[in-house]
Amino acid sequence: MSTTRGLRTQPPDDLLRSDAPAVVDTLGRPLHDLRISVTDRCNFRCTYCMPKEIFGPDFAFLPRDQVLSFEEIERVARAFVELGVEKLRITGGEPLVRRDLTVLIGMLAALRRPDGQPLDLTLTTNGSGLRRLAGPLRDAGLQRVTVSLDSLDDAVFAAMNGVEFPVAKVLDGIAAAAEAGLAPIKINMVVRRGINEGSIVPMARWARDAGHILRFIEYMDVGTTNGWRLDDVVPAADVVAAIDAVMPLEQLPARYRGEVATRWRYRDGSGEVGLIASVSAPFCGDCTRARISAEGKLYTCLFSAIGHDLRAVLRSEASDAELREVIGGIWRVRDDRYSELRTAATGDLPRVEMFAMGG
Ligand code: SAM
């Protein structure tokens, strides 16, 4: 596997998407996107993320006082925006289980980039709470949602979500998001060999007919509790081939450097699908994402073992300028590119669970 890919000292022009002051890491990647986990709790027990055998009724989630408050989240998000972040994604755990989330969305929607423009503000959810919350979230200033859905088949979906959650309820949540105007709606489907490969074509057909953007995600070795094996990964190329056999596809050019999904359009013009090939074709060279966990740790890679404790800074006497200095200092020395270096040896390294870090 390449060890030189992505090595750059200067940010390529097309990675810099506005005139915001760019904070650039050692590989020339600017700080552009921030994912904020607002809770480590979830009402699903997806086998590949939070298996119920490990995350049972006795599992100790974070006590409330260790989770960032809305004021702390807003302050840290503002610091990131001042450093060049243009896109905020709220995630978890399941973000919709955090009480009064609409209040936080309102606070984040009020933030402005240094050039005065609003942020791109979106949220990833399992969809279970959208019927109740889609309208209030939209009213609070949320622009779009991504909903995770791994199958349209109740038996397959139940086997993956771990709590027998019915497909119909997620579909109803997606409908509520569409009614509220949280569009375009993206749907994330994690594909696991031998589990939901049979759902690829039905999901593609459904999303195309409904006008949603479906993205297939290769099953990743995040965390250590899901027992990941390379054999469980269905490579993106196989997903494309399965769809192309019944609904012919052609590849679309990337809209901008750093676009995570490769995009394919139906040749009959009826829509497109995305492929997130984080295992078979990693994209570390263009990764402009930072993540903050519910307890305020900053991770500069999904596969990091160690986070930087921003909560300690937020709860100290540090000024906003000092907070920005800490964050900028962490980003400037960033050199992570785990997925490009993934080998048998990296499999044994410690890693933080995705629900804890924020997916
Ligand atoms: N609860 C929310 C949801 O279900 O979308 C947000 C958090 S969840 C951790 C974010 C995304 O990560 C979901 O689309 C989920 O399917 C995906 N995910 C979790 N574990 C994964 C893994 N091992 N490989 C690939 N995707 C994973």
Side-chain angles (χ1 to χ4, degrees):
M1 214 169 272
S2 163
T3 53
T4 54
R5 197 165 11 158
L7 282 174
R8 279 190 298 260
T9 51
Q10 292 297 318
D13 289 346
D14 53 355
L15 267 179
L16 302 174
R17 277 165 246 154
S18 82
D19 50 8
V23 179
V24 175
D25 74 7
T26 61
L27 302 180
R29 300 167 297 188
L31 175 54
H32 183 269
D33 311 67
L34 177 63
R35 298 188 161 218
I36 304 173
S37 172
V38 294
T39 178
D40 60 338
R41 290 162 202 258
C42 188
N43 55 337
F44 283 17
R45 286 292 177 274
C46 297
T47 49
Y48 53 81
C49 186
M50 223 179 181
K52 63 174 172 239
E53 297 72 26
I54 293 166
F55 302 97
D58 297 333
F59 185 81
F61 289 98
L62 290 170
R64 181 170 300 199
D65 65 339
Q66 290 186 26
V67 173
L68 293 190
S69 68
F70 288 171
E71 289 70 24
E72 288 169 332
I73 293 174
E74 192 263 354
R75 185 175 168 216
V76 79
R78 187 157 27 86
F80 273 90
V81 170
E82 284 162 358
L83 289 167
V85 160
E86 298 179 357
K87 179 171 176 183
L88 293 184
R89 178 175 293 278
I90 304 306
T91 181
E94 171 48 40
L96 302 192
V97 306
R98 174 92 188 236
R99 192 177 302 169
D100 298 327
L101 185 71
T102 51
V103 173
L104 175 67
I105 295 296
M107 292 162 77
L108 297 176
L111 294 176
R112 290 291 173 270
R113 299 179 348 193
D115 62 5
Q117 294 300 308
L119 300 167
D120 184 5
L121 180 59
T122 180
L123 174 144
T124 301
T125 172
N126 61 29
S128 60
L130 278 175
R131 173 51 66 190
R132 184 171 63 86
L133 284 169
L137 286 168
R138 176 75 180 144
D139 292 345
L142 189 70
Q143 294 158 2
R144 295 178 288 115
V145 281
T146 297
V147 182
S148 304
L149 179 61
D150 297 329
S151 181
L152 293 171
D153 179 311
D154 262 321
V156 176
F157 187 48
M160 292 184 81
N161 68 49
V163 292
E164 308 267 315
F165 201 85
V167 172
K169 276 199 165 183
V170 179
L171 295 182
D172 185 52
I174 294 169
E179 287 157 25
L182 290 168
I185 296 174
K186 286 185 186 157
I187 310 292
N188 277 354
M189 172 176 171
V190 176
V191 187
R192 284 191 69 176
R193 187 171 305 286
I195 309 277
N196 64 339
E197 286 162 291
S199 301
I200 293 170
V201 171
M203 281 284 289
R205 193 171 278 126
W206 163 76
R208 187 192 61 174
D209 293 347
H212 305 317
I213 301 170
L214 175 60
R215 293 159 359 138
F216 296 93
I217 305 179
E218 286 180 352
Y219 174 42
M220 289 182 284
D221 48 339
V222 268
T224 50
T225 57
N226 61 15
W228 183 89
R229 293 177 316 132
L230 190 56
D231 288 350
D232 296 332
V233 179
V234 179
D238 293 7
V239 175
V240 170
I243 301 171
D244 184 60
V246 283
M247 296 181 281
L249 290 169
E250 63 190 1
Q251 191 164 5
L252 286 167
R255 278 171 297 198
Y256 54 87
R257 182 148 198 172
E259 190 169 39
V260 166
T262 55
R263 297 182 305 130
W264 296 73
R265 70 182 276 279
Y266 293 107
R267 286 181 187 270
D268 66 5
S270 58
E272 66 176 68
V273 289
L275 277 296
I276 301 184
S278 27
V279 178
S280 67
F283 34 81
C284 308
D286 291 334
C287 178
T288 57
R289 291 180 181 173
R291 295 179 147 83
I292 297 180
S293 70
E295 60 184 329
K297 289 206 170 129
L298 167 60
Y299 294 94
T300 55
C301 176
L302 188 52
F303 299 95
S304 302
I306 297 166
H308 306 269
D309 188 0
L310 293 185
R311 189 183 64 199
V313 183
L314 288 163
R315 294 185 183 176
S316 73
E317 299 295 308
S319 65
D320 287 351
E322 286 164 333
L323 175 62
R324 279 197 304 274
E325 208 36 57
V326 169
I327 297 166
I330 292 167
W331 191 265
R332 283 187 197 95
V333 298
R334 174 186 191 242
D335 61 0
D336 315 89
R337 51 197 192 97
Y338 173 91
S339 291
E340 287 182 353
L341 302 173
R342 179 186 281 116
T343 62
T346 53
D348 294 331
L349 295 175
R351 290 187 293 276
V352 175
E353 300 298 326
M354 190 144 170
F355 74 87
M357 178 185 300

